[in-house]
């Protein structure tokens, strides 16, 4: 068991090394026009160190909001988020958020190398030669050798997303928060980037929280999937995906158990999605 | 440059038409002397250094006023764009003062600063200030929230975010403001020189008109045309260098 699920009201938990992130009884209310929208009303959850956890759910259920709350970019209306046992109050060190809109998150005035350098410089200052070598290491990790001096406008979408990922990874974060990072690239590029992120996750001591609307993607990548219900969202399903790593786009997707997981999670979301649409 | 030859051809044809019309007295040759005559009086004015002598004070006024405006407007615009209370404090007054044509300040400036360089630099400064200021805070306020949040997730300080994210993201807009200002600087400097003073290309044009040396007057006007073209050309080069990452800047 990688992740422990708590009920609606979590008891005060003792700090343990296994848990890297804990969401405790969070509430999040948005003001929409004159009314208010309650996205979370007392959600609790623990993420185990080293997990590849995907969060799925029907559209508008608050998947991305959950990630924003964990990242500290947004504050909850109530409740707390703990990272390494410490309550967070704003974006903590050791956690990097990878935005869905990579074209808006990449720095267009910096080359590939300079974008990655931004990540490094934000964490520590190294002598320039050493810093350059380290940046080149990450250029290679994401397979962009030869493109290090290109500006973003000269790159394809998939390459830009690689830059954004490398810029995050060079910070050597404990946690990578990814909000539908591959939803805006074409299918083949997505498949390649999925393998890349799995390779990175298995080589680095890193916990990945991955939000996606794509059930196949979640099953392929994760060792644990949380399926949220409609707002105010609760954990509807919490499934351990015990397919063997390393996973392979062709072989893993052909496995019977892959399809069983996919089927189960897909139908759970699809039925909720249908309930939400009148006359569907 | 190569693709612009039809435009240059049109200029040449218009000048030729002017020449012919003036020689044949289709237009008044006293008010519109033939282009050849303008050119023959232009050349000695350039070679004799007269144009240069008049141009240098004008250039000094333009660039001093412009530089002052850049130095004041960009930091002020950055502060207005990032600190909401300052924005709410200064935005209304900016919107009120901005529409007043800067030449309207010349009489006031003469009262306070006299008719020397100070007055002209001040008026150019004032005219250049608003386009840069507006485009700076507009650019800053238009920076995508994702870019701001990117800075936050990497945990960089507000000052660093200002320098490394907000300033470069707003740079295209700031550059636009600067380009608009440069054009206005030329206009305002010439107007100020015509109203008061005894030097500069604006003064020269008016002086030549008063003593009825019409070809020299036109020579001065043409000089302004060339000057404006060169300033814009140089600015586009500079802008292209700073914004080469956009990949859209057209080679001039």
């Amino acid at each position: 068991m990688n992740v422990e699920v708590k009920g609606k009201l979590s008891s005060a938990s003792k700090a343990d090394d296994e848990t890297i992130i804990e969401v405790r009884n969070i509430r999040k209310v948005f003001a929409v026009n004159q009314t208010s929208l309650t996205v979370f009303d007392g959600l609790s959850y623990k993420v185990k160190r080293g997990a590849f956890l995907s969060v799925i759910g029907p559209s508008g259920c608050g998947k991305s909001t959950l990630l924003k709350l964990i990242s500290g970019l947004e504050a909850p209306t109530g409740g707390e988020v703990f990272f390494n046992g410490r309550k967070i109050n704003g974006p903590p060190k050791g956690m990097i958020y990878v935005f869905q809109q990579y074209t808006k998150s990449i720095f267009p005035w910096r080359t590939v190398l300079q974008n990655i350098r931004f990540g490094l410089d934000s964490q520590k200052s190294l002598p320039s030669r050493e810093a350059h070598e380290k940046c080149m290491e990450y250029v290679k990790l994401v397979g962009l050798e030869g493109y290090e001096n290109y500006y973003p406008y000269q790159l394809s979408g998939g390459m830009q997303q690689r830059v954004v990922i490398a810029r995050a990874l060079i910070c050597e974060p404990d946690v990578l928060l990814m909000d539908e990072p591959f939803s805006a690239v074409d299918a083949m590029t997505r498949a390649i980037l999925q393998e890349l992120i799995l390779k990175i996750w298995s080589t680095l001591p890193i916990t990945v929280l991955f939000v996606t609307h794509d059930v196949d993607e979640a099953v392929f990548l994760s060792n644990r999937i949380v399926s949220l219900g409609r707002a105010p969202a609760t954990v509807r399903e919490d499934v351990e995906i015990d397919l063997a790593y390393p996973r392979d786009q062709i072989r893993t997707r052909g496995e019977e158990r892959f399809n069983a997981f996919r089927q189960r999670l897909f139908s759970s979301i699809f039925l909720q999605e249908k309930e939400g649409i009148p006359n569907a | 440059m190569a693709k612009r030859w039809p435009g240059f051809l049109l200029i040449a044809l218009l000048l030729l038409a002017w020449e012919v019309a003036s020689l044949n007295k289709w237009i008044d040759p006293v008010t519109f002397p033939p282009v050849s005559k303008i050119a023959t009086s232009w050349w000695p004015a350039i070679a004799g250094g007269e144009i240069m002598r008049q141009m240098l004070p004008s250039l000094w006024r333009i660039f001093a006023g412009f530089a002052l405006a850049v130095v004041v407007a960009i930091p002020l615009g950055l502060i207005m764009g990032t600190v909401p209370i300052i924005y709410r404090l200064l935005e209304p007054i900016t919107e009120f003062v901005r529409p007043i044509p800067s030449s309207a300040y010349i009489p006031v400036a003469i009262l306070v600063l006299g008719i020397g360089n100070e007055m002209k630099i001040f008026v150019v400064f004032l005219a250049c200030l608003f386009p840069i200021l507006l485009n700076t805070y507009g650019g800053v306020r238009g920076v995508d929230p994702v870019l701001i949040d990117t800075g936050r997730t990497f945990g960089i300080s507000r000052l660093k975010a200002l320098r490394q994210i907000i300033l470069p993201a707003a740079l295209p807009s700031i550059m636009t403001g600067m380009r608009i200002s440069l054009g206005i600087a030329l206009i305002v400097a010439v107007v100020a020189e015509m109203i008061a003073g005894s030097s500069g290309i604006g003064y020269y044009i008016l002086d030549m008109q008063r003593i009825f040396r019409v070809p020299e007057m036109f020579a001065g006007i043409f000089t302004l045309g060339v000057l404006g073209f060169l300033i814009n050309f140089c600015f586009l080069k500079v802008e292209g260098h700073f914004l080469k990452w956009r990949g859209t800047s057209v080679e001039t």
Side-chain angles (χ1 to χ4, degrees):
Chain A
M1 285 290 270
N2 280 324
V3 186
E4 191 188 339
V5 194
K6 291 268 174 173
K8 262 207 153 189
L9 276 168
S10 153
S11 58
S13 66
K14 54 186 187 300
D16 57 278
D17 284 350
E18 294 289 273
T19 303
I20 188 159
I21 291 166
E22 183 184 354
V23 172
R24 199 182 293 170
N25 200 24
I26 51 162
R27 272 170 47 79
K28 182 68 183 177
V29 182
F30 286 110
V32 186
N33 299 327
Q34 258 77 53
T35 62
S36 64
L37 175 72
T38 305
V39 182
F40 298 114
D41 193 9
L43 180 81
S44 295
Y45 198 83
K46 281 183 177 179
V47 183
K48 202 199 159 193
R49 192 177 300 278
F52 197 124
L53 175 78
S54 284
V55 181
I56 59 174
S59 41
C61 75
K63 307 184 285 283
S64 295
T65 305
L66 180 62
L67 212 60
K68 278 258 167 74
L69 293 174
I70 290 172
S71 72
L73 289 170
E74 258 182 54
T77 313
E80 292 145 327
V81 178
F82 294 87
F83 173 48
N84 280 332
R86 242 173 311 201
K87 187 183 168 186
I88 68 153
N89 185 13
K93 257 199 168 3
M95 211 192 258
I96 301 284
Y97 193 101
V98 176
F99 293 86
Q100 178 183 9
Q101 310 102 312
Y102 55 85
T103 50
K104 291 180 177 177
S105 180
I106 200 166
F107 301 128
W109 54 86
R110 285 175 174 248
T111 62
V112 169
L113 200 67
Q114 291 166 342
N115 260 284
I116 297 171
R117 182 68 184 267
F118 175 88
L120 182 64
D121 289 347
S122 74
Q123 304 302 307
K124 52 186 158 194
S125 59
L126 291 177
S128 78
R129 193 198 174 87
E130 210 177 310
H132 178 84
E133 275 165 16
K134 192 155 172 98
C135 290
M136 282 308 293
E137 220 177 275
Y138 282 83
V139 167
K140 289 193 189 101
L141 180 72
V142 296
L144 286 173
E145 314 87 308
Y147 292 96
E148 57 269 15
N149 294 321
Y150 281 52
Y151 282 99
Y153 82 91
Q154 297 166 307
L155 304 175
S156 68
M159 290 161 102
Q160 290 186 17
Q161 188 59 290
R162 284 164 192 259
V163 175
V164 168
I165 291 169
R167 185 181 65 182
L169 288 173
I170 201 168
C171 299
E172 296 173 344
D174 296 328
V175 177
L176 202 57
L177 303 170
M178 306 186 89
D179 181 15
E180 305 198 25
F182 308 142
S183 62
V185 294
D186 63 272
M188 277 304 138
T189 308
R190 188 181 316 159
I192 289 163
L193 288 175
Q194 284 166 353
E195 287 202 335
L196 176 73
I197 200 70
L198 274 186
K199 188 189 94 188
I200 287 164
W201 173 71
S202 56
T203 31
L204 302 176
I206 196 169
T207 307
V208 178
L209 255 73
F210 196 98
V211 164
T212 179
H213 61 262
D214 181 347
V215 175
D216 287 46
E217 181 172 70
V219 174
F220 178 72
L221 293 172
S222 328
N223 58 12
R224 185 122 214 147
I225 296 179
V226 164
S227 174
L228 297 180
R230 291 228 307 274
T234 50
V235 174
R236 296 258 306 209
E237 305 224 34
D238 183 18
V239 187
E240 191 186 345
I241 309 295
D242 53 359
L243 301 166
Y245 290 99
R247 294 183 186 169
D248 177 279
Q249 289 288 11
I250 315 287
R251 184 176 43 74
T252 306
R253 283 177 192 272
E255 279 180 37
E256 215 164 288
R257 295 187 49 246
F258 178 94
N259 279 304
F261 281 126
R262 186 198 160 274
Q263 197 71 14
R264 170 178 163 195
L265 290 160
F266 183 82
S267 57
S268 143
I269 294 174
F270 186 65
L271 290 175
Q272 287 186 74
E273 198 81 72
K274 259 177 120 171
E275 279 170 35
I277 305 167
N279 306 322
Chain B
M1 213 59 153
K3 279 183 188 158
R4 297 173 76 177
W5 67 265
F8 287 106
L9 184 67
L10 180 64
I11 293 172
L13 286 174
L14 285 172
L15 289 175
L16 187 69
W18 179 341
E19 174 81 17
V20 173
S22 181
L23 283 175
N24 292 302
K25 299 203 165 60
W26 299 335
I27 52 175
D28 178 15
V30 181
T31 315
F32 297 102
V35 177
S36 54
K37 207 171 164 195
I38 295 171
T40 47
S41 58
W42 197 5
W43 175 243
I46 291 172
E50 176 63 16
I51 294 275
M52 253 309 145
R53 257 196 307 284
Q54 300 298 347
M55 193 107 98
L56 283 177
S58 299
L59 282 174
W60 162 243
R61 287 157 193 158
I62 290 166
F63 287 110
F66 174 73
L68 272 176
V70 167
V71 168
V72 173
I74 293 180
L76 188 60
L78 287 174
I79 294 168
M80 281 179 76
T82 45
V83 187
I85 181 75
I86 303 284
Y87 176 78
R88 286 200 296 274
L89 190 70
L90 296 181
E91 197 262 350
I93 194 169
T94 310
E95 285 300 325
F96 176 71
V97 175
R98 186 175 65 95
I100 304 173
S102 34
S103 44
Y105 294 116
I106 295 175
V108 185
I110 291 174
L111 285 179
V112 178
L113 296 167
I115 57 167
N117 261 340
E118 294 83 356
M119 179 273 283
K120 284 156 202 159
I121 291 172
F122 174 75
V123 174
V124 171
F125 158 77
L126 208 60
C128 291
L129 188 70
F130 290 104
I132 304 175
L133 184 64
L134 255 73
N135 278 282
T136 303
Y137 72 64
V140 170
R141 288 167 67 84
V143 174
D144 199 290
V146 171
L147 220 43
I148 309 275
D149 276 348
T150 301
R152 291 178 62 208
T153 194
F154 281 90
I156 62 169
S157 68
R158 279 187 62 130
L159 198 68
K160 239 184 173 175
L162 190 68
R163 217 183 58 235
Q164 298 194 340
I165 297 177
I166 293 173
L167 184 62
L171 196 62
S173 176
I174 295 172
M175 285 287 194
T176 302
M178 287 169 69
R179 203 175 57 234
I180 295 168
S181 282
L182 261 182
I184 295 174
L186 187 66
I187 297 169
V188 173
V190 167
V191 171
E193 286 167 355
M194 284 181 168
I195 291 179
S198 55
S199 68
I201 198 79
Y203 164 79
Y204 176 81
I205 291 167
L206 198 68
D207 195 39
M208 291 301 115
Q209 185 255 332
R210 280 174 181 152
I211 59 175
F212 229 65
R213 283 166 63 185
V214 177
E216 280 82 358
M217 179 193 80
F218 273 111
I221 293 172
F222 285 4
T223 305
L224 275 180
V226 173
L227 181 67
F229 178 84
L230 286 177
I231 289 176
N232 196 51
F233 180 81
C234 293
F235 189 83
L236 286 176
K237 282 284 177 202
V238 173
E239 190 183 49
H241 172 77
F242 280 109
L243 302 181
K244 62 171 185 282
W245 50 268
R246 282 202 302 184
T248 50
S249 59
V250 183
E251 276 290 302
T252 43

